Amino acid sequence: MKQISIILYSFLICFLFGCEKFDDNFGSTIEFGSIYVGEFVDVNSEGYTFRVSCPYNVVAGETEVKEVGYFTNSSQNDKVVGELIDGEIVATLSGDFEKSPYIQAYVETSEGVAMSKFINLTLNQQNFAPTILSHSVSFLPENKYRIEVTCGLLYEPLGLGSITATLSGSGSLETKTEGNNIVIDIDAQKLSAGSYSYVYLYVGNGFGNDAYIRIPLFLNVKTATNTFADDGEKDDCIRLCGIDWAKGNLQYNSGEWRIAPTQDAVFGVNGSDANHIEYFCYGDIDAELKTTTHLFNIPPQEGILEYDIQGDRLYDVVAANLQGNWCLPTPENFADLLQYASCQYGYVDRNGVRTYGYMFYNSGDKILMSTQNVGFDAEHLDEIGLFLPTIGYYYITSKSIVLNTSLNLRYEDFYYMSSRVHKSWLNDKYGEMYLLFYYQWYSKLSSDYYLKSSISQVPVRPIKKTD
């Protein structure tokens, strides 16, 4: 981190001061480059000591160099003799926090003294306080949040100093440091019922004001009303709320029907075509991106307003195309997720691709809910729980996939098909499909019927049918 700070500061110096040539009354021409402030070798409460360098070159003629160094006041009465290293004038200078040091490189030759332009290095104690460069929040197995904060120091031996972290509504948090990184682990299972908005972090080493950051968590915790002791990762499924969910969405991949190879594996906006399909129509068992409005393909049932196709190989796209007892989930399966499982929004990074989605998981006697964007470890995804990517839907009318252009709103792109349809009393072919989706009007997840059934194709996450 020290190198980053120095480079940025030195770039500013270079930008402001450029280079200078001297050839008046000389039999040679000397060109100075920009003064470059290098590493700090000591910092204390009074001031600082640092290395400084300035390239120079005799671009015309010849001259004998007797001495090089830096003047430290404008009258050139005080100077620090330097040394030549790889064509640069290098020296160690000092400054204090009360005034800005004057710095001007010089070259003394047999013909006289040539000088660069001068600079005043303006530093105060705040420059040597820790700075917060970045932070990340990830969700780990066993219901733990990990916050990692990267700090910067202009002079690393000063260290980060005192570190104080608190969680709103809870109190102080334990922290640990790894170099210039601060790690905070929060065991959400130990939190009491209530709402937790932010993690507040202060870092100070006695120089200037403390560095401060407020990290959003927006976590709601309540007591579970039902628990499922057998939930967890199985050989070919994720058991959650007593239901066995597939470890990936239903996909049609170049003639092969399959469960996606990982829970976060999706074709993406630019990958869905006639040979790569992951959006499906209710009651239609074919792999096809429709070009005209699709009417429900279900048998007429006079007087029946709702129809369920779960496990029917003529209408259930999962049962028709996958071996075994895989099928569409029911609205009740979705409702159980919303009522009994914990839920966290976030993303998975795998092979350079980031996939957003909701993680549903079992957190014992607590139910945790947060739509704050966090990271999930791709290698432990199945261990954490059921990850459902937010990949929007295919809009038949426009023949395009609908996704929010803003990544900050990607949590709204959530639609998953269930096995049930609510039919119109006017026509058996029209109706509304029950979905698990994000209800934008009320800003929450919902399991209900949705109006876009005849003009939309949506993702499917299979389950194993229970007797």
Side-chain angles (χ1 to χ4, degrees):
M1 297 310 153
K2 174 181 67 178
Q3 285 183 324
I4 293 175
S5 300
I6 292 172
I7 289 171
L8 290 175
Y9 189 78
S10 301
F11 174 79
L12 178 60
I13 293 173
C14 294
F15 177 77
L16 290 175
F17 298 99
C19 61
E20 181 79 345
K21 290 184 179 180
F22 284 87
D23 58 356
D24 292 345
N25 302 318
F26 281 74
S28 59
T29 300
I30 296 178
E31 181 181 70
F32 289 88
S34 300
I35 294 176
Y36 179 91
V37 177
E39 66 176 321
F40 290 85
V41 296
D42 185 45
V43 178
N44 54 54
S45 60
E46 300 299 323
Y48 47 90
T49 305
F50 58 95
R51 298 281 282 175
V52 65
S53 62
C54 179
Y56 92 98
N57 190 28
V58 180
V59 296
E62 295 182 0
T63 188
E64 178 187 357
V65 176
K66 293 183 175 182
E67 183 180 281
V68 298
Y70 290 88
F71 293 120
T72 56
N73 60 44
S74 58
S75 64
Q76 286 88 45
N77 291 328
D78 296 317
K79 66 179 181 180
V80 174
V81 178
E83 57 183 333
L84 283 175
I85 301 176
D86 296 329
E88 295 190 352
I89 304 167
V90 180
T92 300
L93 305 181
S94 296
D96 59 49
F97 296 121
E98 300 300 323
K99 62 181 180 180
S100 304
Y102 178 97
I103 305 173
Q104 185 176 29
Y106 73 85
V107 175
E108 182 180 341
T109 73
S110 56
E111 300 170 306
V113 178
M115 293 170 288
S116 73
K117 289 183 176 180
F118 75 91
I119 66 170
N120 286 106
L121 182 62
T122 304
L123 289 175
N124 54 43
Q125 288 199 8
Q126 189 63 48
N127 293 111
F128 296 96
T131 58
I132 293 176
L133 302 178
S134 64
H135 76 278
S136 64
V137 183
S138 56
F139 191 81
L140 308 178
E142 300 180 356
N143 312 318
K144 290 184 179 179
Y145 290 91
R146 170 161 292 177
I147 298 173
E148 297 180 85
V149 179
T150 300
C151 296
L153 285 168
L154 197 57
Y155 183 58
E156 289 191 6
L158 291 176
L160 299 179
S162 64
I163 301 171
T164 302
T166 57
L167 174 62
S168 59
S170 176
S172 62
L173 298 171
E174 185 176 330
T175 66
K176 59 182 179 180
T177 58
E178 300 174 355
N180 284 352
N181 294 328
I182 300 171
V183 179
I184 307 169
D185 285 338
I186 302 174
D187 187 346
Q189 188 63 37
K190 294 181 179 180
L191 296 175
S192 302
S195 297
Y196 304 87
S197 300
Y198 296 96
V199 172
Y200 300 92
L201 177 66
Y202 295 85
V203 186
N205 61 359
F207 283 76
N209 298 322
D210 291 353
Y212 163 74
I213 189 173
R214 184 180 71 169
I215 302 170
L217 203 58
F218 300 138
L219 174 65
N220 292 316
V221 181
K222 62 181 182 180
T223 302
T225 58
N226 198 357
T227 58
F228 301 85
D230 195 35
D231 278 0
E233 180 187 2
K234 310 300 178 182
D235 290 339
D236 62 346
C237 64
I238 305 294
R239 184 166 298 166
L240 189 58
C241 300
I243 299 297
D244 292 337
W245 296 83
K247 291 183 176 182
N249 283 0
L250 178 67
Q251 292 181 339
Y252 176 82
N253 183 46
S254 299
E256 174 194 5
W257 287 89
R258 70 179 188 182
I259 292 172
T262 63
Q263 292 200 74
D264 57 304
V266 295
F267 294 134
V269 174
N270 298 319
S272 293
D273 54 36
N275 292 314
H276 302 87
I277 296 176
E278 54 191 348
Y279 303 90
F280 304 95
C281 291
Y282 183 90
D284 192 328
I285 63 174
D286 296 326
E288 181 183 8
L289 294 176
K290 305 295 185 182
T291 58
T292 59
T293 300
H294 169 72
L295 304 182
F296 287 133
N297 184 25
I298 54 177
Q301 298 286 331
E302 187 175 348
I304 299 177
L305 290 182
E306 291 193 343
Y307 193 83
D308 198 312
I309 59 174
Q310 187 186 52
D312 189 331
R313 295 184 183 275
L314 295 178
Y315 305 101
D316 182 333
V317 66
V318 178
N321 294 293
L322 294 182
Q323 298 295 319
N325 58 344
W326 295 106
C327 62
L328 284 167
T330 65
E332 289 77 16
N333 298 146
F334 287 150
D336 284 350
L337 290 182
L338 300 182
Q339 184 175 1
Y340 301 124
S342 292
C343 181
Q344 173 67 57
Y345 177 70
Y347 61 88
V348 181
D349 288 331
R350 191 190 301 269
N351 300 325
V353 177
R354 174 165 291 187
T355 304
Y356 294 87
Y358 286 94
M359 174 68 75
F360 295 90
Y361 62 99
N362 186 322
S363 52
D365 61 355
K366 301 285 177 61
I367 294 179
L368 315 175
M369 175 67 68
S370 174
T371 56
Q372 181 62 35
N373 193 15
V374 305
F376 301 110
D377 186 352
E379 300 307 314
H380 297 281
L381 204 59
D382 295 346
E383 184 181 346
I384 298 173
L386 175 69
F387 181 76
L388 299 179
T390 50
I391 58 174
Y393 59 92
Y394 177 78
Y395 190 42
I396 297 173
T397 302
S398 66
K399 304 178 183 62
S400 63
I401 296 167
V402 177
L403 283 173
N404 275 299
T405 55
S406 170
L407 296 181
N408 294 328
L409 296 175
R410 190 58 59 85
Y411 60 85
E412 295 182 353
D413 298 324
F414 193 53
Y415 304 88
Y416 276 83
M417 184 191 299
S418 83
S419 61
R420 193 174 304 158
V421 67
H422 182 87
K423 295 192 297 184
S424 168
W425 62 275
L426 292 174
N427 190 319
D428 285 328
K429 294 295 186 180
Y430 288 90
E432 298 162 348
M433 177 173 35
Y434 281 87
L435 298 175
L436 176 62
F437 68 105
Y438 183 84
Y439 202 165
Q440 296 181 16
W441 288 355
Y442 293 97
S443 299
K444 67 175 184 178
L445 297 177
S446 179
S447 176
D448 208 336
Y449 56 81
Y450 195 69
L451 301 178
K452 292 183 178 178
S453 55
S454 63
I455 58 175
S456 305
Q457 298 178 219
V458 296
V460 169
R461 178 58 67 94
I463 68 166
K464 287 185 177 181
K465 188 175 182 180
T466 55
D467 295 330

